[in-house]
């Protein structure tokens, strides 16, 4: 099949969630030509599902809050694996980015005195998340979407990028196809911003949608970009567990932020037994203290242990279930009904109320929810320069979940939405600045294009062979059971072999019908990315023989200081995927002191 | 596990037919689960649009037994006493393939709405608004762009006035901007002309299908109609305008 459509832009953004939209706006504001490619319809990207809020030290509730406290919380939450400079930039710039959303039409919930309200969340010292009930992501994506459509940005909806091209050492373009027609489209660009999100679809139980197949990471890897910290995968502690068809669907941390408590089948509020040393001084040690905090006295009481970081809470639930103290469907109980009256719950958690009522037949104003860990987010991703978000491939930028560094070994809730706008903007600006200096576009070699298209159409030439959905399901089982929340050397080694076997069987798949809107074929294409990132996660997890943040090894249950000084890098050597170790950047003394001793 | 028969539209805008699939149904399954099961086990090329599968993104709209529904939030057990379940694409839009429709007109309509324009800031760090002042607009901003209201609206569904009438979803969007306490833009002319607000004769069908339970007719459309009437049809104001113009 030939390419019918060619487009040239100064800056091309791939992905239209919060990071992609913010990058597109930033680039367009400098006057360069901008294209925005989105895998789904505009406004449907994963940002729309974010619930709890966007973190920034506005200090609207507690004047003591400032970027230093936010920076420290982020670094401690990341268990020493963060890029300190990204964490600093993030904490410093997030308040302006949140205020900017308000100036663009976002309507956050208010405080008594008419400012943006802020909600407590796990790992944040002060109430810090600006929010709109439990639909903050919807407010954010709609605001950015409506702002973007009035800027000079060409938007390509239901268009999937499948292959990047690098010419003379710089990124030069990308091959994509239109989902509705199956036709190919070639974009040339002077710089490209990847904002294509994460990799959740590799796991069986996940809060992520079909789109989350690691396309950006896999494409970047294939042209030589380094991937960083891929072993750090966030299992959100509270996904739905029943009925089976919704297993994994997110239950916002906002439920705990608003006072919800976790109990096991014996009625024990078990989180008090799982407080790590790092957080002991900041966490309530009796139910009475936690309840006083939840009732509003936040000055004289410490936070409930339900608001420990996500890695801690997820592992605690997993341990309770393992010990036979789980709910009948293998989760824990999350109860807000005991702590708040029905009107408050419906006002603050409206979509949780509807989600449980309509999908599980549970009234959360009267009954407990059943919850358990669900794959939610990957801290790892494309390694970027903290100032410009440029990857190790010149001209290729990455922002949002597809990039790595900010969150280290574990991300704090609310820091993702702020990440999107802080680094989306920086990536868009830097990409535009560089594009302006470049005359004309690089020619993409015809033979590279032809071979990419021939490869993409291979399953139509195979008749009556393996179904791509079967491979996807096999991969999800492997990742769920062997590269899940608790890992072992043996399991990871088996997983690695199985992933590589699946990579070969991918070539024996067939697709029926035609190219137009064909989910079987689309899934086959996505699987190439999904298998690359699955291999990267498994290899990185094998290399880290310790437990830290979102990476837990049953055979090495403790954190090992030896491993606390380096990150894991995945890159392509010839046709092989290899891992190397790289020192974690050391913060300057004043910031080091801040992390250790507090503000 | 029970077996259920689903009749699913297969084809394009010009030609297509219902095809019958027998599916094993487990407890708690929604319509979208059944479509996915057909896809993975029987017809990998069956086209359906979906993303979040939690009622938050509004991608998976279709018609179940002729009723506009979000297929991810519609439980199969709701149809316990009915025999075959029929799933067809939204009728108000051209079919691309199977259950997927061309909704691009909606994006054009959205772009036509004059954008949000804030008044000058109240303080250095932004604006001051009370919670009760923002709640009206917040109701409008719950819209997930599922387009079910557009699908059910007879102006669009039966009379195909897509060019003349932006439809309930974009009246909700306009109301969301205009009810924002700090918005300073005047959208009255847009509503009357390009928006085609006059086409709506408040039958409330849109309100009934909204999965976000936005009271579209009462809280969005009627207040907007009042603005247009005040501006263009209030005799006293018309007189004032006439005098001023002279």
């Amino acid at each position: 099949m030939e390419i019918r459509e060619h487009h040239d832009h100064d800056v091309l953004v791939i992905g239209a969630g919060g990071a992609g939209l913010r990058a597109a706006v930033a680039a367009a504001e400098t006057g360069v030509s901008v294209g925005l490619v989105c895998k789904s319809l505009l406004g449907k990207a994963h940002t729309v599902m974010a619930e709890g809020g966007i973190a920034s030290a506005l200090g609207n509730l507690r004047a003591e809050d400032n970027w230093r406290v936010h920076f420290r919380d982020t670094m401690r939450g990341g268990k020493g694996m963060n890029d300190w400079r990204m964490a600093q930039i993030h904490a410093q710039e997030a308040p302006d980015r949140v205020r900017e959303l308000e100036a663009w039409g976002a309507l956050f919930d208010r405080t008594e005195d008419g400012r943006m309200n802020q909600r407590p969340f796990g790992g944040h010292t002060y109430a810090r998340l600006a929010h709109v009930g439990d639909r903050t992501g919807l407010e954010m994506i709609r605001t950015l979407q409506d702002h973007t459509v009035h800027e000079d940005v060409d938007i390509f909806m239901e268009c999937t990028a499948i292959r990047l091209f690098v010419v003379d050492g710089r990124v030069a373009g990308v091959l994509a196809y239109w989902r509705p027609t199956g036709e190919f489209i070639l974009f040339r660009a002077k710089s490209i911003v990847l904002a294509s999100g994460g990799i959740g679809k590799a796991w069986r139980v996940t809060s992520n949608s079909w789109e989350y197949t690691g396309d950006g990471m896999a494409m970047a890897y294939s042209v030589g970009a380094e991937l960083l910290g891929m072993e750090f995968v966030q299992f959100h502690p509270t996904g739905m567990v029943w009925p089976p068809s919704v297993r994994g669907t997110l239950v916002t941390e906002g439920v705990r932020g608003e006072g919800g408590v976790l109990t096991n089948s014996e009625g024990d509020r078990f989180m008090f037994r799982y407080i790590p040393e790092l957080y002991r001084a900041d966490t309530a040690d009796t139910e009475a203290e936690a309840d006083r905090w939840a009732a509003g006295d936040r000055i004289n009481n410490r936070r409930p242990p339900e608001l420990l970081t996500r890695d801690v809470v997820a592992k605690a639930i997993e341990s309770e279930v393992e010990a036979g103290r789980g709910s009948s469907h293998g989760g824990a109980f999350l109860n807000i009904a005991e702590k708040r009256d029905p009107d408050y719950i419906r006002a603050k958690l409206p979509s949780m109320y509807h989600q449980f009522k309509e999908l599980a037949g549970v009234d959360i104003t009267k009954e407990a929810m059943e919850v358990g860990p669900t794959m939610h987010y990957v801290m790892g991703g494309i390694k970027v320069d903290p100032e410009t978000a440029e990857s190790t491939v010149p001209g290729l930028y990455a922002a949002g979940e597809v990039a790595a560094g900010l969150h280290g070994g574990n991300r704090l809730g609310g820091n993702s939405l702020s990440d999107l706008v802080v680094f989306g903007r920086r990536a868009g600006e830097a990409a535009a600045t560089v594009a302006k200096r470049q005359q004309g576009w690089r020619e993409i070699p015809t033979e590279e294009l032809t071979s990419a298209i021939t490869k993409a159409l291979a399953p139509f030439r195979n008749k009556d062979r393996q179904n791509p959905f079967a491979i996807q399901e096999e991969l999800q089982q492997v990742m769920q059971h062997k590269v899940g929340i608790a890992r072992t050397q043996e399991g990871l080694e088996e997983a690695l072999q199985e992933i590589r076997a699946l990579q070969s069987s991918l070539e024996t798949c067939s697709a029926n019908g035609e190219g137009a809107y064909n989910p079987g074929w689309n899934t086959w294409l996505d699987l190439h990315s999904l298998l690359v990132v699955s291999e990267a996660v498994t290899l990185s997890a094998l290399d880290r023989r310790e437990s830290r943040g979102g990476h837990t090894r049953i055979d090495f249950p403790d954190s090992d200081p030896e491993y606390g000084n380096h990150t894991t890098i995945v890159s392509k050597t010839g046709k092989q995927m290899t891992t190397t170790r790289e020192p974690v950047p050391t913060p300057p003394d004043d910031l080091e002191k801040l992390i250790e001793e507090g503000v | 596990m029970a077996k259920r028969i689903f009749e699913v539209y297969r084809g394009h805008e010009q030609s297509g037919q219902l095809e019958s699939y027998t599916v094993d149904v487990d407890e708690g399954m929604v319509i979208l689960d059944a479509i996915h099961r057909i896809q993975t086990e029987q017809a990998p090329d069956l086209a359906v649009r979906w993303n979040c599968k939690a009622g938050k993104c509004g991608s998976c709209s279709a018609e179940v037994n002729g009723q506009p529904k979000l297929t991810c939030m519609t439980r199969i057990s709701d149809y316990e006493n009915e025999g075959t379940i029929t799933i067809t694409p939204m009728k108000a839009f051209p079919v691309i393939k199977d259950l997927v429709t061309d909704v691009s007109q909606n994006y054009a309509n959205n772009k036509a709405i004059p954008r949000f324009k804030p008044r000058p800031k109240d303080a250095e760090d932004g604006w001051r608004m009370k919670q009760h002042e923002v709640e009206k607009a917040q109701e409008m901003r719950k819209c997930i762009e599922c387009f079910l209201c557009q699908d059910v609206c007879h102006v669009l569904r039966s009379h195909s006035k897509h060019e003349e009438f932006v439809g309930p979803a974009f009246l909700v969007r306009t109301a969301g901007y205009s009810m924002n306490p700090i918005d300073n833009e005047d959208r009255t002319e847009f509503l009357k002309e390009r928006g085609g607000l006059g086409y709506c004769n408040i039958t409330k069908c849109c309100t009934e299908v909204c999965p976000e339970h936005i009271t579209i007719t009462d809280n969005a459309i009627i207040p907007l109609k009042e603005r247009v009437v005040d501006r263009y049809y209030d005799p006293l104001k018309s007189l004032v305008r006439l005098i001023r113009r002279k």
Side-chain angles (χ1 to χ4, degrees):
Chain A
M1 187 187 268
E2 68 191 89
I3 296 182
R4 298 237 187 100
E5 228 180 308
H6 295 257
H7 293 275
D8 290 341
H9 291 96
D10 293 322
V11 174
L12 187 75
V13 180
I14 299 172
L21 289 165
R22 190 63 190 83
V25 169
E29 278 174 348
T30 71
V32 301
S33 66
V34 181
L36 178 62
V37 173
C38 36
K39 202 168 169 179
S40 285
L41 294 174
L42 192 61
K44 310 296 187 192
H46 229 282
T47 304
V48 78
M49 286 198 71
E51 291 164 354
I54 175 166
S56 75
L58 294 165
N60 286 353
L61 269 79
R62 293 288 290 276
E64 308 94 300
D65 202 10
N66 58 50
W67 77 261
R68 288 182 178 79
V69 191
H70 192 184
F71 166 78
R72 179 174 188 259
D73 290 345
T74 302
M75 294 297 289
R76 278 157 52 100
K79 314 296 183 294
M81 292 287 107
N82 322 57
D83 180 304
W84 66 269
R85 179 61 184 144
M86 284 180 88
Q88 184 186 32
I89 290 172
H90 168 254
Q92 288 173 331
E93 295 182 3
D96 281 346
R97 297 286 78 73
V98 175
R99 291 187 195 110
E100 175 179 84
L101 288 171
E102 185 162 87
W104 293 354
L107 268 181
F108 294 101
D109 287 350
R110 318 307 297 181
T111 61
E112 288 292 319
D113 66 352
R115 294 162 202 261
M116 275 182 257
N117 199 358
Q118 295 182 276
R119 151 186 289 164
F121 240 53
H124 290 282
T125 301
Y126 301 116
R128 193 175 277 148
L129 274 69
H131 59 275
V132 188
D134 55 3
R135 56 164 194 85
T136 314
L138 171 67
E139 185 68 12
M140 190 162 142
I141 200 164
R142 204 63 84 228
T143 301
L144 287 165
Q145 169 188 348
D146 283 353
H147 193 79
T148 306
V149 298
H150 292 288
E151 299 291 314
D152 194 5
V153 175
D154 297 329
I155 298 167
F156 302 84
M157 292 195 257
E158 299 199 308
C159 185
T160 306
I162 55 174
R163 168 86 188 267
L164 282 169
F165 299 100
V166 167
V167 177
D168 301 332
R170 274 195 76 81
V171 79
V174 69
L175 177 68
Y177 69 93
W178 288 112
R179 182 178 303 275
T181 62
E183 286 170 355
F184 292 95
I185 165 168
L186 177 67
F187 294 94
R188 292 194 306 175
K190 295 172 184 172
S191 34
I192 292 182
V193 179
L194 293 171
S196 50
I199 64 173
K201 213 56 198 166
W203 283 264
R204 174 75 192 81
V205 179
T206 175
S207 64
N208 291 185
S209 83
W210 69 272
E211 289 189 294
Y212 264 44
T213 54
D215 304 354
M217 293 179 205
M219 285 192 296
Y221 162 81
S222 72
V223 295
E226 292 177 354
L227 303 181
L228 162 75
M230 292 298 286
E231 68 273 37
F232 296 114
V233 172
Q234 180 162 81
F235 291 85
H236 193 292
T238 59
M240 290 177 82
V241 297
W242 191 259
S245 86
V246 295
R247 189 164 194 131
T249 298
L250 189 65
V251 179
T252 175
E253 189 168 328
V255 177
R256 284 169 286 137
E258 296 296 344
V261 297
L262 287 165
T263 54
N264 62 19
S265 61
E266 294 167 2
D268 174 29
R269 200 167 157 186
F270 57 85
M271 280 311 301
F272 286 100
R273 289 189 275 110
Y274 293 91
I275 304 169
E277 209 41 56
L278 180 69
Y279 289 107
R280 196 164 290 282
D282 315 319
T283 309
D285 49 16
T286 64
E287 287 194 35
E289 183 181 358
D291 288 346
R292 287 195 300 271
W293 183 94
D297 182 0
R298 295 186 178 162
I299 311 277
N300 300 308
N301 299 287
R302 294 167 297 176
R303 280 172 297 151
E306 278 85 1
L307 288 178
L308 286 162
T309 53
R310 288 177 175 175
D311 50 340
V312 176
V313 182
K315 277 184 258 179
I317 294 176
E318 183 90 346
S319 304
E320 288 299 303
V321 174
E322 291 276 302
R325 295 188 291 269
S327 67
S328 50
H329 302 112
F333 295 103
L334 174 61
N335 195 323
I336 181 88
E338 276 180 5
K339 301 288 173 187
R340 298 284 185 188
D341 66 67
D343 286 341
Y344 184 89
I345 296 169
R346 278 189 293 261
K348 282 293 187 181
L349 304 163
S351 75
M352 289 303 105
Y353 175 74
H354 285 291
Q355 185 173 311
F356 274 91
K357 190 129 201 181
E358 283 164 38
L359 295 174
V362 168
D363 181 348
I364 68 166
T365 67
K366 296 197 178 84
E367 311 162 69
M369 296 159 250
E370 260 185 278
V371 294
T374 179
M375 193 290 177
H376 184 55
Y377 188 89
V378 61
M379 276 68 73
I382 299 168
K383 189 187 166 205
V384 291
D385 173 74
E387 312 289 335
T388 62
E390 191 171 21
S391 73
T392 48
V393 173
L396 183 63
Y397 299 77
E401 190 173 352
V402 73
L406 168 61
H407 309 293
N410 171 65
R411 174 175 71 81
L412 298 186
N415 271 2
S416 176
L417 292 186
S418 40
D419 174 12
L420 305 182
V421 277
V422 167
F423 290 101
R425 170 177 161 275
R426 278 184 168 254
E429 275 183 9
T433 307
V434 168
K436 274 184 173 175
R437 290 201 290 261
Q438 190 181 314
Q439 296 290 317
W441 287 267
R442 287 175 164 75
E443 211 50 61
I444 315 254
T446 317
E447 54 282 18
E448 276 192 50
L449 259 179
T450 315
S451 105
I453 292 173
T454 309
K455 195 181 163 208
L457 293 172
F460 289 112
R461 295 189 292 270
N462 299 339
K463 291 284 169 227
D464 301 323
R465 296 166 86 173
Q466 202 164 1
N467 175 348
F469 288 109
I471 297 198
Q472 189 186 45
E473 214 166 291
E474 268 185 67
L475 174 66
Q476 289 172 341
Q477 294 295 349
V478 171
M479 296 301 283
Q480 187 71 32
H481 298 293
K482 295 175 179 169
V483 199
I485 191 165
R487 305 160 176 175
T488 64
Q489 185 77 16
E490 199 189 352
L492 290 167
E493 280 169 1
E494 282 172 20
L496 192 61
Q497 281 188 7
E498 286 163 7
I499 290 163
R500 286 175 177 162
L502 288 173
Q503 281 168 347
S504 328
S505 50
L506 203 53
E507 305 317 316
T508 67
C509 278
S510 60
N512 66 333
E514 55 196 11
Y517 230 113
N518 186 333
W521 177 53
N522 303 156
T523 299
W524 181 82
L525 288 167
D526 289 346
L527 271 167
H528 288 83
S529 308
L530 211 49
L531 284 161
V532 168
V533 293
S534 298
E535 187 181 351
V537 171
T538 310
L539 266 182
S540 305
L542 271 168
D543 195 66
R544 187 170 287 279
R545 293 169 168 237
E546 64 152 359
S547 294
R548 183 182 295 271
H551 168 69
T552 304
R553 290 280 299 257
I554 297 173
D555 40 0
F556 300 97
D558 300 316
S559 290
D560 180 345
E562 289 268 311
Y563 281 88
N565 301 322
H566 73 258
T567 52
T568 318
I569 302 277
V570 165
S571 59
K572 197 173 174 184
T573 316
K575 288 201 162 182
Q576 281 283 42
M577 185 180 279
T578 51
T579 58
T580 47
R581 294 174 180 180
E582 204 169 84
V584 182
T586 320
D589 290 347
D590 57 327
L591 292 183
E592 186 86 68
K593 193 159 170 269
L594 171 63
I595 298 164
E596 270 157 30
E597 294 170 19
V599 178
Chain B
M1 201 184 285
K3 285 194 190 302
R4 292 295 300 259
I5 298 169
F6 292 84
E7 303 237 306
V8 183
Y9 181 84
R10 299 299 310 270
H12 302 91
E13 176 65 12
Q14 279 74 26
S15 65
Q17 66 290 321
L18 291 175
E19 282 193 15
S20 188
Y21 300 94
T22 304
V23 179
D24 292 325
V25 172
D26 302 316
E27 187 184 344
M29 264 173 68
V30 293
I31 297 289
L32 184 60
D33 290 319
I35 298 168
H36 283 156
R37 200 160 269 188
I38 294 167
Q39 220 176 41
T40 53
E41 293 169 4
Q42 305 179 48
D45 63 337
L46 167 60
V48 61
R49 201 180 256 137
W50 70 286
N51 284 71
C52 77
K53 206 175 170 292
K56 295 188 172 67
C57 78
S59 300
C60 64
S61 305
E63 299 190 4
V64 182
N65 288 354
Q67 298 294 313
K69 295 278 185 192
L70 275 186
T71 58
C72 74
M73 295 299 279
T74 307
R75 295 175 77 167
I76 295 171
S77 56
D78 295 348
Y79 299 85
E80 215 148 35
N81 301 320
E82 294 166 56
T84 304
I85 299 174
T86 306
I87 312 171
T88 47
M90 286 193 285
K91 188 173 173 252
F93 305 105
V95 177
I96 293 176
K97 190 185 162 203
D98 306 337
L99 299 175
V100 176
T101 52
D102 177 0
V103 292
S104 52
Q105 179 70 46
N106 293 308
Y107 289 88
N109 289 349
N110 184 42
K111 200 173 172 172
I113 304 172
R115 71 193 296 183
F116 171 75
K117 200 170 100 188
R119 70 174 187 228
K121 286 182 182 176
D122 301 334
E124 203 172 308
D125 67 346
W127 293 267
R128 299 290 180 268
M129 296 172 254
K130 296 285 187 187
Q131 184 62 32
H132 69 88
E133 293 174 316
V134 301
E135 273 165 2
K136 271 187 182 171
Q138 283 185 332
E139 181 192 359
M140 301 304 135
R141 295 181 67 82
K142 290 192 319 192
C143 170
I144 56 173
E145 295 195 329
C146 64
F147 309 132
L148 290 177
C149 59
Q150 306 283 92
D151 185 42
V152 79
C153 174
H154 63 100
V155 181
L156 304 173
R157 188 182 179 94
S158 312
H159 303 287
S160 299
K161 298 278 184 198
H162 287 95
E163 300 287 332
E164 294 92 336
F165 179 52
V166 292
F170 300 99
L171 296 173
V172 166
R173 186 73 129 263
T174 309
Y177 291 139
S178 299
M179 291 172 178
N180 185 321
I182 64 171
D183 176 66
N184 241 352
E185 181 61 86
D186 182 349
R187 298 180 186 82
T188 321
E189 191 193 330
F190 160 78
L191 285 166
K192 181 170 178 288
E193 304 300 334
R194 171 70 178 82
L197 183 57
Y199 279 101
C200 168
N201 55 2
I202 52 177
T203 52
K204 300 198 179 184
C205 311
C206 49
T207 305
E208 280 167 30
V209 298
C210 178
E212 285 291 310
H213 309 291
I214 302 171
T215 35
I216 302 175
T217 314
D218 290 352
N219 290 357
I221 297 180
I222 291 175
L224 294 179
K225 277 182 176 274
E226 284 167 355
R227 284 186 196 200
V228 172
V229 168
D230 278 357
R231 166 77 59 83
Y232 292 98
Y233 306 108
D234 182 314
L236 193 65
K237 284 188 183 162
S238 299
L239 190 66
V240 172
R241 256 201 314 275
L242 204 65
I243 294 164
R244 279 202 184 144
R245 212 177 288 161
K246 284 175 182 169

